[in-house]
Amino acid sequence: MLLLTRRQTIFAAIAASLAGRPAFAQSAPAKVRIALDWTPNTNHIGIYVAKAKGFYADAGLDVEILPFTDTSAGTLVSNGVADFGISSEIETLTQRAGGGDVKMVYGVVQTETARLIFKGGRDDIKSPKDLDGKTYGGFGGTWESALISAMIRNDGGKGDVKTVTLGTSAYEALDNGSIDFTLEIYTWEGIAAELEKRKIGRFHYSDYGIPDEQTTVIVSSDAYLSASREHARAFIQATRKGYAYSVDHPDEACDLLISGSNGALMNTELVKASQKALIEGHFLKSEAGVIGTLDPAKADAIGGFLVENGILVDANGAALKENPDFSTYYTNELLD
């Protein structure tokens, strides 16, 4: 009995001395880099929440959020500079068709967040057909003219507009009359305009024959997914947890986004109003409860629209004549 008691005492002492020490088999967190598509905003909120709440750390990941640069996030991913990136569905379809190693792996929003806008109160603009002959303030995207022309034609117009590339704020250009209409992301720019009491008229793309799309997505590359499948799965699932948390705890999530932005976000009212719009509009989480999943039907529809309008070109710059297999442009497997 005495011997047993002495052994128990020794084992207890050893256990106490090892308490708090990391296990020798424990590996260091895997480094993961995600590139932003713009300065921090509510489209990125789930990433900042997942980082601040320790969801990434719990998944064995050390996530670095790369700041926005002039190089698109999809290009950074395709060239191995980033493992993931925030992009758009249209940009991803365009880059992959052209030979870029980029693939959609998470749908940040479940439906289109962009709008065609014009200065409110204009008697000469009642519907898209009234934009014929007017001036569009653009951003240099090859798909913009196809989108606008199709909306106008589908409303009974010709689809002929003048285009200038914006060098100033779109809303200022609308105010001073240098342009008649432009495009916005309603859930951020549009909300900001409403808070500024700007009078804006809006047309939804899908109301005029444009296929709905998941405007904002997270992309990765086949190279990274092949080499680091489990890290990729861990990242996407922790990210979905972050976005789900932001829907259920919007005020806290907004505070975490603001504090994690290193001073880039100073307008708390805008952040919280934007998150409210994303939640109430069922953008981050659909009415059916879908969050993060990429919709095959939407990818096929918007992809087909881009092919039909000569927007998707191959690596040699030749327009695709028929739809490629768009199922290879995305994957939902990391969400399983």
Side-chain angles (χ1 to χ4, degrees):
M1 180 67 70
L2 179 61
L3 180 61
L4 180 60
T5 301
R6 290 179 64 186
R7 286 179 177 174
Q8 289 173 330
T9 301
I10 292 171
F11 289 147
I14 292 173
S17 70
L18 294 176
R21 296 184 185 181
F24 290 109
Q26 186 176 5
S27 59
K31 188 75 173 180
V32 173
R33 303 156 299 172
I34 179 166
L36 300 185
D37 61 334
W38 199 247
T39 52
N41 57 70
T42 44
N43 276 348
H44 312 141
I45 196 166
I47 298 163
Y48 282 88
V49 168
K51 188 174 178 69
K53 296 294 292 185
F55 299 158
Y56 291 136
D58 291 344
L61 305 176
D62 176 15
V63 174
E64 180 183 5
I65 302 173
L66 302 180
F68 166 71
T69 69
D70 289 338
T71 303
S72 75
T75 299
L76 295 176
V77 167
S78 184
N79 288 283
V81 177
D83 307 309
F84 296 92
I86 302 289
S87 187
S88 71
E89 185 163 30
I90 287 178
E91 182 175 55
T92 306
L93 293 171
T94 302
Q95 289 180 329
R96 189 171 180 95
D101 184 8
V102 59
K103 175 178 283 188
M104 294 180 283
V105 293
Y106 185 92
V108 175
V109 297
Q110 292 301 308
T111 190
E112 178 70 71
T113 56
R115 305 286 185 263
L116 186 154
I117 65 170
F118 56 96
K119 189 174 181 178
R122 290 187 57 164
D123 293 333
D124 60 334
I125 301 178
K126 302 297 185 184
S127 69
K129 66 183 177 184
D130 298 325
L131 299 175
D132 262 332
K134 291 184 168 56
T135 301
Y136 165 66
F139 306 93
T142 57
W143 56 272
E144 294 172 44
S145 60
L147 166 75
I148 293 162
S149 180
M151 288 181 69
I152 295 173
R153 293 196 311 272
N154 291 340
D155 190 44
K158 297 179 180 179
D160 297 329
V161 301
K162 304 169 187 175
T163 299
V164 298
T165 300
L166 288 173
T168 183
S169 163
Y171 298 99
E172 290 177 5
L174 288 176
D175 285 342
N176 64 33
S178 60
I179 63 171
D180 295 298
F181 65 103
T182 185
L183 308 178
E184 71 169 8
I185 298 298
Y186 171 71
T187 50
W188 184 259
E189 297 166 315
I191 295 299
E194 289 180 357
L195 292 175
E196 294 168 0
K197 308 299 183 183
R198 293 180 182 272
K199 192 174 182 180
I200 300 293
R202 295 181 172 88
F203 298 137
H204 292 219
Y205 301 172
S206 59
D207 288 343
Y208 298 94
I210 307 301
D212 191 21
E213 62 159 326
Q214 294 178 265
T215 323
T216 304
V217 297
I218 295 177
V219 299
S220 189
S221 64
D222 284 321
Y224 180 78
L225 296 178
S226 177
S228 305
R229 192 75 174 185
E230 291 311 308
H231 293 155
R233 187 185 306 276
F235 174 80
I236 289 300
Q237 294 192 7
T239 297
R240 178 168 59 178
K241 188 175 180 181
Y243 278 103
Y245 192 93
S246 80
V247 172
D248 295 335
H249 306 86
D251 287 339
E252 180 188 355
C254 288
D255 291 340
L256 293 175
L257 172 61
I258 292 168
S259 62
S261 71
N262 295 322
L265 286 175
M266 304 297 290
N267 191 337
T268 301
E269 183 183 18
L270 170 58
V271 173
K272 294 195 172 184
S274 173
Q275 181 66 2
K276 183 173 184 287
L278 284 167
I279 294 170
E280 292 183 350
H282 300 287
F283 292 103
L284 297 180
K285 185 177 182 179
S286 75
E287 290 188 74
V290 176
I291 183 167
T293 303
L294 293 155
D295 188 330
K298 289 181 178 179
D300 285 346
I302 195 65
F305 172 82
L306 295 176
V307 171
E308 180 182 346
N309 286 275
I311 303 302
L312 293 192
V313 300
D314 62 21
N316 297 316
L320 301 189
K321 300 301 183 182
E322 56 185 37
N323 291 359
D325 181 2
F326 287 117
S327 69
T328 65
Y329 284 46
Y330 63 87
T331 179
N332 284 312
E333 292 179 3
L334 302 180
L335 290 167
D336 297 335

